[in-house]
Amino acid sequence: MAFVKDMLRMWAHSWKRFISIAMITLLGVAVLTGIYAGCRDAFRSTDRFFDAQGLHDVQVLSTAGLSNGDIAALRKVNGVAKVQAERSQEVTFDLDGRKSATMQEIGTDGIDQPYLQEGRMPKKAGEIAVTRKFIRDSGKRIGSRLTVTPESASSDTSDTSDTNGADGTNETNGTDEAPSFPTKLTIVGVVLDPQNLSNPDGYSAMTSFRSTATTDYTFFAPSDGVTGTLYTSATLLVKGAAAESTFDESYENTVKQVTDRIDGTVKTDRQKARRQELLDAGNKKIVDARAEADKKFADAQSQIDANRQQFNQQVDQIVDMQASAAAAGAAANGANAGAAAAAGATTPQLDETTRETMRETIIAASPELTQAKQQLDQAQSQLNEQKASTEQTLKTKENELKTSIPQVRWYVQDRQSLGGFSALKSDLDSIQSLGNAFPIVFLLVAVMMSLTAMARMVEEDRSLIGTYVGLGYGRLAVASRYLLFALLACLIGGGLGLIAGFLGIPAFLLVVLQGMYVMPGLRLEYDWLYGSLGIALFVVGVLAATIYACVQEMRQTPAALMRPKAPRAGSRILLERIRPVWNRIGFLGKVTARNIFRFKSRLIMTVGGVAGCTALIVCGLAINDTVADLGIKQYRDIYQYDLMVVSDDSDASAMRTKVASDGRVTSSLDVRIESGDLTVAGSGDGDSGKAGSSGSESIQLVAVPEKHLSDLGEMVTLQPVSSGILGTSGVGKTGSLKLDDDGVIVAQSAASALGVKAGSKVRLTNGDGVQATAKVSAVNRNLIGSDVYVSETYYAKLFDSKDAKNTKNSKSSEDSEALTWNAMLAKLSGSDTSQTDYAESLEENSSVMKAVSCAHMADSFKFDLMGAVVALIVALAGGLALVVLFTLANTNVSERVREMATLKVLGFFDREVHHYVNREMMILTVMGVILGLPLGRLVGGMLTMALNMPSLYFEVEVKPLSYVIAAVATMAFALLVQLFVNPVLDRIDPISSLKSVE
C-alpha cells in the first residue's frame, strides 16, 4: 500500500510531464483521426446517397444509339442486377442569351434518381424538375414556365445513326425513332443530380468552361410525353456493388468484372448486330424507294400512253375524213350518181405507209397538233431520263451503303467517368493523404519528447529505484510506476484526441466540404477500430520510450542506483579549439557553449523537436503559398490572353463579328474549344505514362487552325516540363515548345494526375463523344484547368477516321474537313476592371455562350478546402511546438536544479539565472529553426506531390515571408514558454537543492 501511495505522490509531483505527454498524444491522435474521420464521413455519406438514389455502376453508350435488343442483351450479362434504358434530348432556350440543357427522362427502374430538394417530382407531360444552379442563374422558381427548342442537330447519341443515311433521309433507321420531349415546360421541383454533387456556389463553378458539346443545365422530365424508341444510353446496377463502398478498391473490382464481361462478348456481338440493323434499314429504304419510284414512273407512263392514244385517235379521225373526202371527189368526177353515193358510204382502205404519211402531213399542217406531239415526246423523254437517273442513284446508294454507315462503337464506362464523382473522390483522397503524412511527424516528436521526459523522471528517482530494488521489489514492479504513468497520460490524451479527431476536426472540414459539394444526410461517425488503433499507436511509441529509459537505469545494481549519478567528465568542445573565437567569448558565453554541446542527447532532442515543429509550420504555409499563387501564375503568366469567348457553332461568325466591332481587341486567335476526357489505362508497359497508371480527367480540348499554329505561343506560354522530385518540376525555356501535327500537348495539371509524359499514348474523347488514341508530344506547364492543345490536321486525323466518325453530332466526311472555330482567345486594351466589365457585357449577347476574363479569374481564384486544411495544420503544428518547447524547458530545469541553486548561492540574481537558462534554450531553438526551415520546404514538396487533384497542379512556392512567419512563431512560442519556466527557477531553494542525498 505504501508503494502505491508513493507512486501516486510521485505522479502528482510530475504533473507537468503528465500534461506534456497527454497533450502531445492528444494532438497526435487528433491529427491521425481527424482528417481521416472527416474524409471518411464524407465518403460514407456520399456512398449512402449514391445507393439511395441508385447511381449507376456502369453506363453504356453507343455511337448509333441503343435499341431494345441491346437492352435485352445487357440484362442477360452475368452479374447485372438491373438495367435502365434512358432517353434524353438536347434543347436550347433564351436566358440572357442562348443556353442549352439536356432533357433527361427520369427512369422507372430506380437508377440515377434525382434527389428532391424543394417542391415535388414531375409526373405529367410538360412538368420538369431543375437543378439549383438553374434556379440561381435564371431567377425562376417553382411554377415558372419555360419554352425550349430541340437542337436541330441534337447531340444525343440516339441521333448519330442518321448521318450518312443510305437514301439521303435523316432518320435513325427504319423503325426506331429518336427521343422527343415536350417543349412547353413548367417547373415543379428543384432536385440534385446524383451524377454531379458540385455546389453551384463553390469553387468548381468558378473555373468551369462550357463548350458546344456540353449543356449548361439538366432538366428532369417524367416518361409521360416522351416519345421515341431509340435510347441515349443504358445504365446498370451490378450485383453486390451496393454492399461495397463506392470509393474502395473492392467496389472497383466488383464492377470491373461486369464491365469486362460486357467488353468481352456482348459489346462485340451487339455492335455487329446494330450495324446490321442499320444496313438492313438502309437496304429496306432503298427497296422501298425503288418500289415507290417504279410505281410513280408506271403511273406517269400510263398517263403519257393514254394521252398519246387520245392524240393518235384524233389524228386517225382526220386521216379517215380526208381519205373519205378524197374518195368521194374521185367518184363524182368519173361515175354516176349512184356509184358516187355508194362510194361515199364506204371508207377507203389505206395501207400503213400511206396512213403514216398522211398522219405526218396532217400533224405538220396543224400547229396545234404539232405542239401536242412535241409535248408528248418531251414528257416521254423526261420520264425516261428520270427513270435512268433514279435507277443510277439507287444503284450508287446500294454500292455506298456499307461504306457510308460506320462501324458501331460501344463505350462502357463506370463511375470514374463522371466528372463530379471523380472530382469529389480526388479531393478527399488528396486531403486524406495529408492526414496520413502529418501524424508520422507527430508520432516521432511524441516518442522523442516521451523519451526525454520519462528518462529524466526515472533519473530523478534513481536512488528511490535502488532502494525499492534493494528491499526486494521486482524491477518490473518498480518500472510499472513509470509505465502506468505514461500509459495513463496517453489514454487521457488519446481520449481527448479522439473527441477532437472524430467531432471537432471533421465538423470543421465538413463545413468547408459542404461549401464545395452538396452532401445530403451527412453525419459524424465514430470508428472504434481506427480510434483504438490510433491511441494504441501512440501508447506503443510512448511506452517503448519509457521502457527504454527504465532499462537504461535499472540494469545497474541497487548500490549504484542509491548513489548519486557521477557527473559527466569534462571535455573540450570543438569551439574551444578555435582560439581566436573562444578567447573573445565571455565567461557565461563559454559556459553556455559547453552546456549546449556537451549534453548531446539534450541537443539532439531539443533541436530535433523544434525543427520538426518548425517544418510542420513551414509545410502548412508552403501549401498556402502554393495555392494562393495558382491563380496569379495561371491567369497572368501562363495565359497571356486577356479574354476567352466561346459560342455555339451556329453563332461563331456572329460572335467574332461582335467582338471585332467593339474595337477592344488588339490581337486574337480563333480556336475550337470542346469539353472532353483524357483517359489512361494502366498497362504497365510504359506507353501510358508511368507503369500501371490509370484514370480519367476532364479536359478542355483546344484545336488550333493549321495556319496559325505559331500564334498559339503568343496567347499561351508554352514551356515543356519534366517531372521533378520533392514537388519540383523541370521547366524548359519559354517558347521552346511548338504545336505540330505529330501529337497533342497536354497540360501539366492533367499529366501529373495521370502519370502522363511526352511519348505516352492516351485516349482522347472530343466534344462529340468520339474516342481516339493520341500521342502526347509534350507536357506544357499548366496549373489550373486541363487544356489539351491539338492542331487542326491532327484533330482531323484523330476524330475523322472511318472507325471514329460517327457519334453525337458527327459530321459527314465532306463537312468535317473544316472545323467550326467556336472560340476566340484575345488580348484586350484597358485596365483589369474594364476587361472584366467587358467580359460580363459580352455574356449578355445572344451569340456568346461564355466569356471569361483572365484578370477576373486571377483576382477571384480561391481554394477554400485547401485553405481550411492548411489553417488546421498550422494551428496543430503551432500547438505541438508550444508543447514540445514547454516539455524541453521543464526537463532542462529539472536536470539542473543543483546547478541553478549553486548559481543562486554564488550571488546570481533571479533575472541573471533566467538569462543563464533561457539563453541556452533560445540558442537551441534558433538551431532548430535553422534546420526546420529547409526541412519544411522538403516536406512541403513531398506532400504537394501527393495532392493529385482534378485540373490542379501544385507548383510548390514558399514565400520569404512564410519562412519569417514560421521562424517568428517558433521563437514566440519559446518566449511564451519562458514565462512559465521563470517562476519555476524562482522557486528553487538553494539549501534543500544542494543537500547531499548521502
Side-chain angles (χ1 to χ4, degrees), residues 354-587:
T354 304
R355 183 177 290 275
E356 185 61 32
T357 302
M358 292 183 65
R359 286 195 190 109
E360 293 178 357
T361 303
I362 292 171
I363 293 173
S366 173
E368 292 80 3
L369 292 177
T370 300
Q371 183 178 3
K373 185 177 183 301
Q374 290 176 349
Q375 290 176 349
L376 287 172
D377 293 341
Q378 184 178 3
Q380 184 65 54
S381 176
Q382 291 177 350
L383 179 60
N384 293 337
E385 291 177 359
Q386 289 178 3
K387 290 172 65 176
S389 175
T390 301
E391 184 62 25
Q392 182 62 37
T393 300
L394 293 175
K395 287 183 178 180
T396 301
K397 289 189 176 297
E398 284 180 340
N399 297 331
E400 294 178 350
L401 179 60
K402 290 186 178 181
T403 58
S404 63
I405 293 181
Q407 297 292 334
V408 176
R409 291 287 178 263
W410 271 26
Y411 300 115
V412 183
Q413 302 173 338
D414 56 17
R415 290 182 181 178
Q416 294 291 341
S417 63
L418 300 176
F421 175 87
S422 59
L424 172 63
K425 184 177 185 299
S426 182
D427 280 354
L428 294 178
D429 284 343
S430 297
I431 299 305
Q432 198 167 21
S433 66
L434 294 179
N436 295 334
F438 275 96
I440 297 175
V441 180
F442 278 77
L443 178 62
L444 292 176
V445 173
V447 172
M448 291 174 59
M449 294 304 101
S450 300
L451 180 60
T452 301
M454 297 309 299
R456 179 56 194 165
M457 186 176 180
V458 173
E459 186 178 339
E460 286 180 352
D461 291 346
R462 175 187 174 90
S463 60
L464 186 60
I465 291 173
T467 302
Y468 276 126
V469 174
L471 292 175
Y473 285 87
R475 297 180 185 275
L476 180 61
V478 177
S480 66
R481 292 159 49 94
Y482 310 101
L483 294 176
L484 291 175
F485 176 85
L487 176 63
L488 184 61
C490 283
L491 292 177
I492 292 178
L496 295 176
L498 290 180
I499 295 176
F502 283 98
L503 293 178
I505 295 177
F508 170 74
L509 288 178
L510 293 178
V511 167
V512 181
L513 277 171
Q514 286 180 309
M516 299 178 63
Y517 300 98
V518 181
M519 300 179 181
L522 187 62
R523 64 173 182 261
L524 301 178
E525 301 180 30
Y526 180 72
D527 188 333
W528 287 98
L529 178 61
Y530 195 85
S532 301
L533 291 177
I535 293 180
L537 184 64
F538 280 84
V539 167
V540 170
V542 173
L543 288 184
T546 305
I547 292 173
Y548 176 80
C550 292
V551 170
Q552 288 295 105
E553 290 293 336
M554 293 183 184
R555 62 185 177 183
Q556 302 181 45
T557 62
L561 288 173
M562 286 186 287
R563 287 194 299 270
K565 189 175 183 179
R568 290 177 61 88
S571 60
R572 290 176 177 270
I573 62 174
L574 180 62
L575 190 61
E576 291 186 50
R577 304 181 187 278
I578 307 176
R579 286 297 178 180
V581 177
W582 182 256
N583 292 336
R584 287 172 172 76
I585 300 177
F587 171 74

Side-chain angles (χ1 to χ4, degrees), residues 55 105 150 201 224 334 338 347 379 397 455 457 478 492 512 626 766 798 901 906:
L55 181 65
E105 179 186 15
D201 298 317
D224 187 19
T347 302
K397 289 189 176 297
M457 186 176 180
V478 177
I492 292 178
V512 181
T626 299
N766 72 350
L798 291 176
L906 292 175

Side-chain angles (χ1 to χ4, degrees), residues 58-75 77 83 231-234 236 259 261-275 407-413 763 769 771 803 806-807:
V58 180
Q59 184 181 45
V60 178
L61 302 171
S62 172
T63 60
L66 298 173
S67 64
N68 288 323
D70 296 328
I71 303 301
L74 289 171
R75 288 196 172 101
V77 176
V83 179
Y231 303 108
T232 307
S233 64
L236 290 69
T259 57
R261 293 190 190 109
I262 296 175
D263 286 331
T265 57
V266 178
K267 177 179 178 180
T268 303
D269 295 342
R270 291 309 305 171
Q271 285 178 163
K272 295 179 179 178
R274 180 59 177 155
R275 185 168 187 269
Q407 297 292 334
V408 176
R409 291 287 178 263
W410 271 26
Y411 300 115
V412 183
Q413 302 173 338
R763 192 76 173 170
Q771 293 187 350
D803 290 340
N806 207 27
T807 74

Side-chain angles (χ1 to χ4, degrees), residues 64-300:
L66 298 173
S67 64
N68 288 323
D70 296 328
I71 303 301
L74 289 171
R75 288 196 172 101
K76 296 178 182 179
V77 176
N78 183 26
V80 173
K82 190 180 294 185
V83 179
Q84 177 174 286
E86 296 188 345
R87 295 178 290 184
S88 64
Q89 182 185 33
E90 290 191 6
V91 298
T92 59
F93 57 94
D94 184 49
L95 179 64
D96 295 330
R98 188 170 179 266
K99 300 295 182 181
S100 59
T102 297
M103 296 289 297
Q104 181 69 46
E105 179 186 15
I106 301 176
T108 57
D109 295 313
I111 302 179
D112 289 345
Q113 298 296 296
Y115 175 78
L116 184 64
Q117 294 179 302
E118 185 180 348
R120 63 176 177 85
M121 296 298 291
K123 299 178 180 179
K124 301 177 182 179
E127 294 181 344
I128 60 169
V130 300
T131 59
R132 192 165 296 283
K133 179 177 184 291
F134 176 77
I135 294 294
R136 184 201 66 177
D137 294 346
S138 66
K140 295 183 182 295
R141 60 182 184 274
I142 294 178
S144 298
R145 298 183 181 276
L146 181 68
T147 300
V148 298
T149 304
E151 286 273 9
S152 57
S154 176
S155 60
D156 291 340
T157 57
S158 59
D159 291 339
T160 60
S161 58
D162 60 6
T163 59
N164 300 323
D167 58 352
T169 60
N170 288 326
E171 299 177 8
T172 54
N173 58 43
T175 57
D176 295 329
E177 296 179 357
S180 178
F181 287 72
T183 57
K184 296 186 180 300
L185 310 174
T186 302
I187 300 174
V188 298
V190 179
V191 296
L192 173 64
D193 185 355
Q195 298 187 31
N196 185 7
L197 302 183
S198 298
N199 191 328
D201 298 317
Y203 156 74
S204 58
M206 287 173 32
T207 57
S208 61
F209 301 136
R210 296 293 185 181
S211 76
T212 56
T214 303
T215 56
D216 299 299
Y217 309 100
T218 301
F219 298 158
F220 296 91
S223 298
D224 187 19
V226 181
T227 61
T229 56
L230 198 65
Y231 303 108
T232 307
S233 64
T235 51
L236 290 69
L237 293 182
V238 175
K239 293 180 181 178
E244 307 288 346
S245 173
T246 185
F247 301 99
D248 290 346
E249 187 176 354
S250 58
Y251 167 82
E252 296 178 0
N253 293 334
T254 301
V255 173
K256 188 176 185 300
Q257 293 177 3
V258 175
T259 57
D260 288 345
R261 293 190 190 109
I262 296 175
D263 286 331
T265 57
V266 178
K267 177 179 178 180
T268 303
D269 295 342
R270 291 309 305 171
Q271 285 178 163
K272 295 179 179 178
R274 180 59 177 155
R275 185 168 187 269
Q276 189 59 48
E277 290 177 3
L278 297 177
L279 290 173
D280 293 342
N283 284 322
K284 184 177 182 300
K285 290 177 181 179
I286 293 176
V287 172
D288 292 343
R290 177 178 279 113
E292 183 179 356
D294 289 345
K295 183 178 180 300
K296 291 181 179 180
F297 292 150
D299 292 341

Side-chain angles (χ1 to χ4, degrees), residues 274-355:
R274 180 59 177 155
R275 185 168 187 269
Q276 189 59 48
E277 290 177 3
L278 297 177
L279 290 173
D280 293 342
N283 284 322
K284 184 177 182 300
K285 290 177 181 179
I286 293 176
V287 172
D288 292 343
R290 177 178 279 113
E292 183 179 356
D294 289 345
K295 183 178 180 300
K296 291 181 179 180
F297 292 150
D299 292 341
Q301 187 64 55
S302 299
Q303 183 65 36
I304 293 174
D305 292 343
N307 292 337
R308 189 176 294 280
Q309 183 179 4
Q310 183 180 0
F311 174 79
N312 290 335
Q313 288 175 354
Q314 292 177 358
V315 174
D316 286 343
Q317 287 178 1
I318 297 174
V319 170
D320 291 342
M321 290 175 62
Q322 289 183 355
S324 298
N333 295 331
N336 56 30
T346 302
T347 302
Q349 296 297 321
L350 303 175
D351 59 83
E352 188 62 31
T353 302
T354 304
R355 183 177 290 275

